[in-house]
């Protein structure tokens, strides 16, 4: 929602940046050897992809690039959806 409208993007950019940084941190935590599925290569691939996507989002937000942020949010959501389909289903 925060990336769908230019005004909302501008107003909520700091909050979105905090959320993106938290997501980046979470992507590192879920790669820990003690985490569920840590021994599954596909799961680790998803976790690393999520880390990359979150970093893209952080970069886009720091630059104030709404288009890049929209793209990064979309790719991040796709990564989450694929992983959840395989590991939460």
């Amino acid at each position: 929602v925060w990336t769908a409208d230019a005004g909302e993007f501008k107003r909520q950019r700091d909050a979105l940046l905090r959320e993106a940084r938290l997501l980046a941190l979470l992507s590192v935590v879920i790669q820990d050897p003690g985490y569920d599925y840590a021994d599954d290569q596909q799961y680790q691939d998803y976790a690393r992809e999520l880390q990359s996507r979150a970093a893209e989002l952080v970069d886009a937000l720091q630059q104030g690039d709404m288009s890049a942020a929209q793209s990064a949010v979309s790719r991040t959501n796709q990564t989450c959806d694929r992983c959840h389909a395989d590991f939460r289903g």
Side-chain angles (χ1 to χ4, degrees), residues 27 30-31 42-52:
S27 71
I30 65 174
Q31 293 178 57
Q42 183 181 16
Y43 178 83
Q44 288 295 326
D45 290 345
Y46 283 133
R48 283 189 295 277
E49 183 178 346
L50 179 60
Q51 184 177 9
S52 176

Side-chain angles (χ1 to χ4, degrees), residues 27-40 43-44 47:
S27 71
V28 172
V29 169
I30 65 174
Q31 293 178 57
D32 185 82
Y35 206 79
D36 289 344
Y37 305 112
D39 59 344
D40 188 297
Y43 178 83
Q44 288 295 326

Side-chain angles (χ1 to χ4, degrees), residues 51-83:
Q51 184 177 9
S52 176
R53 299 298 179 222
E56 290 173 8
L57 180 55
V58 167
D59 289 343
L61 291 164
Q62 287 175 330
Q63 295 173 21
D65 187 337
M66 182 175 156
S67 178
Q70 288 171 323
S71 183
V73 165
S74 177
R75 287 190 306 274
T76 299
N77 286 337
Q78 290 169 3
T79 300
C80 291
D81 290 345
R82 286 192 322 272
C83 183

